[in-house]
Amino acid sequence: MPDLHIPAAGGSHQEAYLATPSGTGPWPGVVVLQDAFGVGQNIRAHADRLAAAGYLAVTPKLYTPRGGGIRCVAAVFRSMTSGQGPVFDDIEAARVWLAGRDDCTGRIGVIGFCQGGGFALLAAARYDFAASAPNYGHVPTDAERELEGICPVVGSFGAKDASLKGHPERLEAALTTLGVEKDIRTYEGAGHSFHERFYAESLIRPLGMGYDAAASEDSWRRVLAFFGEHLA
């Protein structure tokens, strides 16, 4: 489906990509949160994969003109680490819009990649999501406090991801203390962005990034099984 506009914070609108399953709904929904590069081909492909599995998947564009180009990108990154900012209102607006559709059951999950993985954790603790799937996302330092009240979590990380060293362990410990159902896995051979295909793979692999087929496929297997249990 082509891009559309959905509600955003403050009565404005945000661009989004919607992937719809074949057949007749209603279907459970998933809010798909972008990586640092925005809503590109990779993220749309993730939404399409969720739709093929029977989920109504919407991907809001978190980089909006409201912030003014580069300033908006910087503001979104600050929100990921500070846990504050209008981007959270935009994510909630996407969830509410999706849940309110006639072809949606109203039961909504959230999945994020890289930057979006961090937002998938924080938003899941604040809003009425039924399951969260952060992929190589930032885990807050005070995870136990920031994630209180979170829904079940299926998280995936790469052992070669130097930028998130200690994050999967911190997430596992916090969710254990909070008594949250979880499936957290770190893939030994994978680095950051192991779900993503890049044009310059040979350039980014030395940086601990890039597609890893084995890790990606096993992570998707776990995510879809987890969503099947909690969103059905």
Side-chain angles (χ1 to χ4, degrees):
M1 179 176 288
D3 290 348
L4 69 160
H5 287 83
I6 64 175
S12 60
H13 289 81
Q14 56 186 328
E15 291 184 40
Y17 174 74
L18 180 68
T20 305
S22 60
T24 303
W27 305 282
V30 179
V31 176
V32 184
L33 299 180
Q34 67 188 46
D35 60 19
F37 297 102
V39 181
Q41 182 178 350
N42 285 326
I43 300 302
R44 291 169 183 255
H46 296 329
D48 291 342
R49 184 165 187 161
L50 285 161
Y55 298 96
L56 192 63
V58 67
T59 304
K61 295 183 178 181
L62 301 182
Y63 298 152
T64 70
R66 286 175 297 160
I70 296 300
R71 288 182 298 166
C72 175
V73 175
V76 170
F77 272 89
R78 287 196 302 271
S79 293
M80 184 182 63
T81 54
S82 69
Q84 300 177 356
V87 64
F88 290 100
D89 297 326
D90 287 347
I91 293 170
E92 170 63 354
R95 186 198 66 79
V96 171
W97 175 82
L98 190 61
R101 287 177 59 97
D102 290 339
D103 55 358
C104 183
T105 63
R107 197 158 180 81
I108 310 295
V110 59
I111 188 171
F113 304 85
C114 180
Q115 174 197 89
F119 285 124
L121 276 175
L122 293 173
R126 301 179 184 190
Y127 308 122
D128 191 20
F129 287 105
S132 175
N135 294 279
Y136 35 86
H138 178 271
V139 179
T141 302
D142 191 357
E144 188 176 329
R145 179 179 64 85
E146 293 286 351
L147 302 182
E148 186 175 359
I150 197 170
C151 58
V153 176
V154 51
S156 300
F157 297 84
K160 294 183 177 180
D161 186 353
S163 67
L164 294 177
K165 188 175 179 59
H167 286 237
E169 293 82 4
R170 186 158 71 225
L171 179 59
E172 178 91 40
L175 296 178
T176 297
T177 299
L178 294 170
V180 175
E181 185 176 350
K182 64 188 180 303
D183 175 3
I184 310 300
R185 186 166 302 180
T186 299
Y187 292 98
E188 290 301 322
H192 194 76
S193 298
F194 61 75
H195 278 301
E196 317 306 333
R197 298 178 186 270
F198 295 98
Y199 292 111
E201 287 285 339
S202 61
L203 297 179
I204 65 171
R205 286 204 177 278
L207 303 177
M209 300 175 61
Y211 182 69
D212 185 294
S216 179
E217 289 305 311
D218 188 69
S219 176
W220 271 115
R221 176 190 61 78
R222 292 169 42 245
V223 167
L224 294 177
F226 203 82
F227 278 3
E229 178 182 355
H230 295 283
L231 301 184

Coordinates of all heavy atoms in Angstrom, one line a residue, residues 4-71:
L4 N 0.6 6.9 3.5 CA -0.6 7.6 3.9 C -0.2 8.5 5.1 O 0.9 8.6 5.6 CB -1.7 6.6 4.3 CG -1.5 5.8 5.6 CD1 -2.8 5.3 6.1 CD2 -0.5 4.6 5.4
H5 N -1.2 9.3 5.5 CA -1.0 10.1 6.7 C -1.9 9.6 7.8 O -3.1 9.3 7.6 CB -1.4 11.6 6.3 CG -0.3 12.2 5.5 ND1 -0.3 12.1 4.1 CD2 0.7 13.0 5.8 CE1 0.7 12.8 3.6 NE2 1.3 13.3 4.6
I6 N -1.3 9.6 9.0 CA -2.1 9.2 10.2 C -1.9 10.2 11.3 O -1.0 11.1 11.2 CB -1.6 7.8 10.7 CG1 -0.1 7.9 11.2 CG2 -1.7 6.7 9.7 CD1 0.4 6.6 11.8
P7 N -2.7 10.2 12.3 CA -2.6 11.3 13.3 C -1.3 11.3 14.0 O -0.6 10.2 14.2 CB -3.7 10.9 14.3 CG -4.7 10.1 13.5 CD -3.9 9.4 12.5
A8 N -0.9 12.4 14.5 CA 0.4 12.6 15.2 C 0.1 13.5 16.5 O -1.1 13.9 16.7 CB 1.5 13.2 14.4
A9 N 1.1 13.7 17.2 CA 0.9 14.5 18.4 C 0.5 16.0 18.1 O 0.8 16.5 17.0 CB 2.2 14.6 19.2
G10 N -0.3 16.6 19.0 CA -0.7 18.0 18.8 C -1.7 18.2 17.7 O -1.8 19.4 17.2
G11 N -2.4 17.2 17.3 CA -3.4 17.4 16.2 C -2.9 17.5 14.8 O -3.6 17.7 13.9
S12 N -1.6 17.2 14.7 CA -1.0 17.2 13.3 C -1.0 15.8 12.7 O -1.7 14.9 13.3 CB 0.5 17.7 13.4 OG 1.2 16.9 14.2
H13 N -0.3 15.6 11.6 CA -0.3 14.3 11.0 C 1.2 13.9 10.7 O 2.1 14.7 10.6 CB -1.1 14.3 9.7 CG -2.5 14.4 9.9 ND1 -3.2 15.6 10.2 CD2 -3.5 13.5 9.9 CE1 -4.5 15.4 10.3 NE2 -4.7 14.1 10.2
Q14 N 1.4 12.5 10.6 CA 2.7 12.0 10.3 C 2.5 11.0 9.1 O 1.5 10.4 9.0 CB 3.3 11.3 11.5 CG 2.5 10.2 12.1 CD 3.1 9.6 13.4 OE1 4.3 9.5 13.5 NE2 2.2 9.2 14.3
E15 N 3.5 11.0 8.3 CA 3.5 10.1 7.2 C 3.7 8.7 7.7 O 4.4 8.5 8.7 CB 4.6 10.4 6.1 CG 4.3 11.7 5.4 CD 5.4 11.9 4.3 OE1 5.8 10.9 3.6 OE2 5.8 13.0 4.1
A16 N 3.2 7.7 7.0 CA 3.4 6.3 7.5 C 3.2 5.4 6.3 O 2.7 5.7 5.3 CB 2.3 6.0 8.6
Y17 N 3.7 4.2 6.5 CA 3.6 3.1 5.5 C 2.7 2.0 6.2 O 3.0 1.6 7.3 CB 5.0 2.5 5.2 CG 4.9 1.3 4.3 CD1 4.6 1.4 2.9 CD2 5.2 0.0 4.7 CE1 4.6 0.3 2.1 CE2 5.2 -1.1 3.9 CZ 4.9 -0.9 2.6 OH 4.8 -2.0 1.8
L18 N 1.7 1.5 5.5 CA 0.8 0.5 6.0 C 0.9 -0.8 5.1 O 0.8 -0.7 3.9 CB -0.6 1.0 6.0 CG -1.7 0.0 6.5 CD1 -1.5 -0.2 8.0 CD2 -3.1 0.5 6.2
A19 N 1.2 -1.9 5.8 CA 1.2 -3.2 5.1 C 0.0 -4.0 5.6 O -0.2 -4.2 6.8 CB 2.5 -3.9 5.4
T20 N -0.8 -4.5 4.7 CA -2.1 -5.2 5.0 C -2.0 -6.6 4.6 O -1.6 -7.0 3.5 CB -3.2 -4.5 4.3 OG1 -3.3 -3.1 4.6 CG2 -4.6 -5.1 4.7
P21 N -2.4 -7.6 5.5 CA -2.5 -9.0 5.1 C -3.5 -9.2 4.0 O -4.4 -8.4 3.8 CB -2.9 -9.7 6.4 CG -2.6 -8.7 7.5 CD -2.8 -7.3 6.9
S22 N -3.3 -10.3 3.3 CA -4.3 -10.7 2.3 C -5.5 -11.4 3.0 O -5.3 -11.8 4.1 CB -3.7 -11.7 1.3 OG -3.2 -12.8 1.9
G23 N -6.6 -11.4 2.3 CA -7.8 -12.0 2.9 C -8.6 -11.0 3.7 O -8.5 -9.8 3.4
T24 N -9.4 -11.5 4.6 CA -10.4 -10.6 5.3 C -10.0 -10.6 6.8 O -9.8 -11.6 7.4 CB -11.8 -11.2 5.1 OG1 -12.1 -11.3 3.7 CG2 -12.8 -10.3 5.8
G25 N -10.0 -9.4 7.3 CA -9.7 -9.2 8.8 C -10.9 -9.5 9.6 O -11.9 -10.1 9.1
P26 N -10.9 -9.0 10.8 CA -9.8 -8.2 11.4 C -8.6 -9.0 11.8 O -8.6 -10.1 12.1 CB -10.5 -7.5 12.6 CG -11.5 -8.6 13.1 CD -12.0 -9.2 11.8
W27 N -7.4 -8.2 11.8 CA -6.2 -8.8 12.2 C -5.6 -8.0 13.4 O -5.9 -6.9 13.6 CB -5.2 -8.7 11.1 CG -5.6 -9.2 9.8 CD1 -5.6 -10.5 9.4 CD2 -6.1 -8.5 8.6 NE1 -6.1 -10.7 8.1 CE2 -6.4 -9.4 7.6 CE3 -6.3 -7.1 8.4 CZ2 -6.9 -9.1 6.4 CZ3 -6.8 -6.8 7.1 CH2 -7.1 -7.7 6.1
P28 N -4.7 -8.7 14.2 CA -4.0 -8.0 15.2 C -3.0 -7.0 14.5 O -2.7 -7.2 13.3 CB -3.2 -9.1 16.0 CG -3.2 -10.2 15.0 CD -4.4 -10.1 14.2
G29 N -2.6 -6.0 15.2 CA -1.7 -5.0 14.6 C -0.3 -4.9 15.2 O -0.1 -5.4 16.3
V30 N 0.6 -4.4 14.5 CA 2.0 -4.1 14.9 C 2.4 -2.8 14.5 O 2.3 -2.4 13.3 CB 3.0 -5.2 14.4 CG1 4.4 -4.9 14.9 CG2 2.5 -6.6 14.8
V31 N 2.9 -2.0 15.4 CA 3.6 -0.7 15.1 C 5.0 -1.0 14.8 O 5.7 -1.6 15.7 CB 3.4 0.3 16.2 CG1 4.2 1.6 15.8 CG2 1.9 0.6 16.4
V32 N 5.6 -0.7 13.7 CA 6.9 -1.0 13.3 C 7.8 0.3 13.4 O 7.4 1.3 12.7 CB 7.0 -1.6 11.9 CG1 8.4 -2.0 11.5 CG2 6.0 -2.8 11.7
L33 N 8.8 0.3 14.2 CA 9.6 1.5 14.4 C 10.9 1.5 13.7 O 11.7 0.5 13.8 CB 9.8 1.7 15.9 CG 8.4 1.9 16.7 CD1 8.7 2.1 18.2 CD2 7.6 3.0 16.2
Q34 N 11.2 2.6 13.0 CA 12.3 2.7 12.1 C 13.7 2.6 12.8 O 13.8 2.8 14.0 CB 12.2 4.0 11.4 CG 12.4 5.2 12.4 CD 12.2 6.5 11.8 OE1 11.2 6.7 11.1 NE2 13.1 7.5 12.0
D35 N 14.7 2.3 12.0 CA 16.1 2.4 12.4 C 16.6 3.8 12.2 O 15.8 4.7 11.9 CB 17.0 1.4 11.8 CG 17.0 1.5 10.2 OD1 16.7 2.6 9.7 OD2 17.4 0.6 9.6
A36 N 17.9 4.0 12.4 CA 18.4 5.4 12.3 C 18.3 6.0 10.9 O 18.4 7.2 10.8 CB 19.9 5.4 12.8
F37 N 18.1 5.1 9.9 CA 18.1 5.6 8.6 C 16.7 6.0 8.1 O 16.4 6.4 7.0 CB 18.6 4.6 7.6 CG 20.1 4.3 7.8 CD1 20.5 3.1 8.5 CD2 21.1 5.2 7.4 CE1 21.8 2.9 8.7 CE2 22.4 4.9 7.6 CZ 22.8 3.8 8.3
G38 N 15.7 5.9 9.0 CA 14.3 6.3 8.7 C 13.5 5.1 8.1 O 13.9 3.9 8.2
V39 N 12.4 5.4 7.5 CA 11.5 4.4 6.9 C 12.0 4.2 5.5 O 11.5 4.7 4.5 CB 10.1 4.8 7.0 CG1 9.2 3.7 6.4 CG2 9.6 5.1 8.4
G40 N 13.0 3.3 5.3 CA 13.5 2.9 4.0 C 13.1 1.6 3.6 O 12.1 1.0 4.1
Q41 N 13.7 1.0 2.6 CA 13.4 -0.2 2.0 C 13.4 -1.4 3.0 O 12.5 -2.2 3.0 CB 14.3 -0.5 0.8 CG 13.9 -1.8 0.1 CD 14.8 -2.1 -1.1 OE1 15.6 -1.2 -1.5 NE2 14.7 -3.3 -1.7
N42 N 14.4 -1.4 3.9 CA 14.5 -2.5 4.8 C 13.3 -2.5 5.8 O 12.8 -3.5 6.1 CB 15.8 -2.3 5.7 CG 17.0 -2.7 4.9 OD1 17.0 -3.6 4.1 ND2 18.2 -2.0 5.1
I43 N 13.0 -1.3 6.3 CA 11.9 -1.2 7.3 C 10.5 -1.6 6.6 O 9.7 -2.3 7.2 CB 11.8 0.2 7.9 CG1 13.2 0.5 8.7 CG2 10.7 0.3 8.9 CD1 13.5 -0.5 9.7
R44 N 10.3 -1.1 5.4 CA 9.1 -1.5 4.7 C 9.0 -3.0 4.5 O 8.0 -3.6 4.6 CB 9.1 -0.8 3.3 CG 8.8 0.7 3.5 CD 9.1 1.4 2.1 NE 9.0 2.9 2.2 CZ 7.9 3.6 1.8 NH1 6.9 2.9 1.2 NH2 7.9 4.9 1.9
A45 N 10.2 -3.6 4.2 CA 10.2 -5.1 4.0 C 9.9 -5.8 5.3 O 9.2 -6.8 5.3 CB 11.6 -5.5 3.6
H46 N 10.3 -5.2 6.5 CA 9.9 -5.8 7.7 C 8.4 -5.7 7.9 O 7.7 -6.7 8.4 CB 10.6 -5.1 8.9 CG 12.1 -5.3 8.9 ND1 12.7 -6.4 8.3 CD2 13.1 -4.5 9.3 CE1 14.0 -6.3 8.5 NE2 14.3 -5.1 9.0
A47 N 7.8 -4.6 7.6 CA 6.3 -4.4 7.7 C 5.6 -5.4 6.8 O 4.6 -6.0 7.2 CB 5.9 -3.0 7.4
D48 N 6.1 -5.6 5.6 CA 5.5 -6.5 4.6 C 5.6 -7.9 5.1 O 4.7 -8.7 5.0 CB 6.2 -6.4 3.3 CG 6.0 -5.1 2.5 OD1 5.0 -4.4 2.9 OD2 6.8 -4.8 1.6
R49 N 6.7 -8.3 5.8 CA 6.9 -9.6 6.3 C 5.8 -9.9 7.4 O 5.2 -11.0 7.5 CB 8.3 -9.8 6.9 CG 8.5 -11.2 7.4 CD 10.0 -11.5 7.6 NE 10.3 -12.9 7.9 CZ 11.5 -13.5 7.7 NH1 12.5 -12.8 7.3 NH2 11.6 -14.7 8.1
L50 N 5.6 -8.9 8.3 CA 4.6 -9.0 9.3 C 3.2 -9.2 8.7 O 2.4 -9.9 9.2 CB 4.6 -7.8 10.3 CG 5.8 -7.8 11.2 CD1 6.1 -6.4 11.8 CD2 5.6 -8.8 12.4
A51 N 2.9 -8.4 7.6 CA 1.6 -8.5 7.0 C 1.4 -9.9 6.4 O 0.3 -10.5 6.5 CB 1.5 -7.4 5.9
A52 N 2.5 -10.4 5.8 CA 2.4 -11.8 5.2 C 2.1 -12.8 6.3 O 1.6 -13.9 6.0 CB 3.7 -12.1 4.5
A53 N 2.5 -12.5 7.6 CA 2.3 -13.4 8.7 C 0.9 -13.2 9.3 O 0.6 -13.8 10.3 CB 3.4 -13.3 9.7
G54 N 0.1 -12.2 8.8 CA -1.2 -12.0 9.3 C -1.4 -10.8 10.3 O -2.4 -10.8 11.0
Y55 N -0.5 -9.9 10.2 CA -0.5 -8.7 11.1 C -0.7 -7.4 10.2 O -0.1 -7.2 9.2 CB 0.7 -8.5 11.9 CG 0.9 -9.7 12.9 CD1 1.7 -10.8 12.5 CD2 0.2 -9.8 14.1 CE1 1.9 -11.9 13.3 CE2 0.4 -10.9 14.9 CZ 1.2 -11.9 14.6 OH 1.3 -13.0 15.4
L56 N -1.6 -6.5 10.7 CA -1.7 -5.2 10.1 C -0.6 -4.4 10.6 O -0.5 -4.1 11.8 CB -3.1 -4.7 10.5 CG -3.6 -3.4 9.8 CD1 -3.8 -3.7 8.3 CD2 -4.9 -3.0 10.4
A57 N 0.3 -4.0 9.8 CA 1.6 -3.4 10.2 C 1.7 -1.9 9.7 O 1.7 -1.7 8.5 CB 2.8 -4.2 9.8
V58 N 1.8 -1.0 10.7 CA 2.0 0.4 10.3 C 3.4 0.9 10.7 O 3.8 0.6 11.8 CB 0.9 1.3 10.9 CG1 0.9 1.4 12.4 CG2 0.9 2.7 10.3
T59 N 4.0 1.6 9.9 CA 5.4 2.2 10.2 C 5.3 3.7 10.1 O 5.3 4.3 9.0 CB 6.4 1.6 9.1 OG1 6.3 0.2 9.1 CG2 7.8 2.1 9.4
P60 N 5.2 4.4 11.2 CA 5.2 5.8 11.2 C 6.6 6.4 11.0 O 7.6 5.8 11.4 CB 4.7 6.2 12.6 CG 5.1 5.0 13.5 CD 5.1 3.8 12.6
K61 N 6.6 7.5 10.2 CA 7.9 8.1 10.0 C 8.2 9.1 11.1 O 7.6 10.2 11.2 CB 7.9 8.9 8.6 CG 7.7 8.0 7.4 CD 7.8 8.7 6.1 CE 7.7 7.7 4.9 NZ 7.7 8.5 3.6
L62 N 9.1 8.7 12.0 CA 9.4 9.5 13.2 C 10.2 10.7 12.9 O 10.2 11.7 13.7 CB 10.1 8.6 14.2 CG 9.4 7.3 14.6 CD1 10.2 6.6 15.7 CD2 8.0 7.6 15.1
Y63 N 10.9 10.8 11.8 CA 11.5 12.1 11.4 C 10.5 12.9 10.6 O 10.1 12.5 9.5 CB 12.7 11.8 10.4 CG 13.8 11.0 11.1 CD1 14.7 10.2 10.3 CD2 14.1 11.0 12.4 CE1 15.7 9.4 10.8 CE2 15.1 10.2 13.0 CZ 15.9 9.5 12.2 OH 16.9 8.7 12.7
T64 N 10.0 13.9 11.2 CA 9.0 14.7 10.6 C 9.4 16.1 10.3 O 10.4 16.6 10.9 CB 7.8 14.8 11.6 OG1 8.1 15.6 12.7 CG2 7.4 13.4 12.1
P65 N 8.7 16.8 9.4 CA 9.1 18.2 9.1 C 8.9 19.2 10.2 O 9.4 20.3 10.3 CB 8.1 18.6 7.9 CG 7.7 17.3 7.4 CD 7.7 16.3 8.5
R66 N 8.1 18.7 11.2 CA 7.8 19.6 12.4 C 9.1 20.1 13.1 O 9.2 21.2 13.6 CB 6.9 18.9 13.4 CG 5.5 18.8 12.9 CD 4.7 18.0 13.9 NE 5.2 16.6 14.0 CZ 5.0 15.8 15.1 NH1 4.4 16.2 16.1 NH2 5.5 14.6 15.0
G67 N 10.1 19.1 13.1 CA 11.3 19.5 13.8 C 12.3 20.3 13.0 O 13.3 20.8 13.5
G68 N 12.1 20.3 11.7 CA 13.0 21.1 10.8 C 14.3 20.3 10.4 O 15.4 20.6 10.8
G69 N 14.1 19.3 9.6 CA 15.2 18.5 9.0 C 16.2 17.9 10.0 O 15.8 17.1 10.8
I70 N 17.4 18.3 10.0 CA 18.5 17.8 10.9 C 18.1 17.9 12.3 O 18.4 17.1 13.2 CB 19.8 18.4 10.6 CG1 20.3 18.1 9.1 CG2 20.9 17.9 11.6 CD1 20.4 16.6 8.9
R71 N 17.5 19.0 12.6 CA 17.1 19.3 14.0 C 16.1 18.2 14.5 O 16.1 17.8 15.7 CB 16.4 20.6 14.2 CG 17.4 21.8 14.1 CD 16.7 23.1 14.4 NE 15.7 23.3 13.3 CZ 14.8 24.2 13.4 NH1 14.6 25.0 14.5 NH2 13.9 24.4 12.4

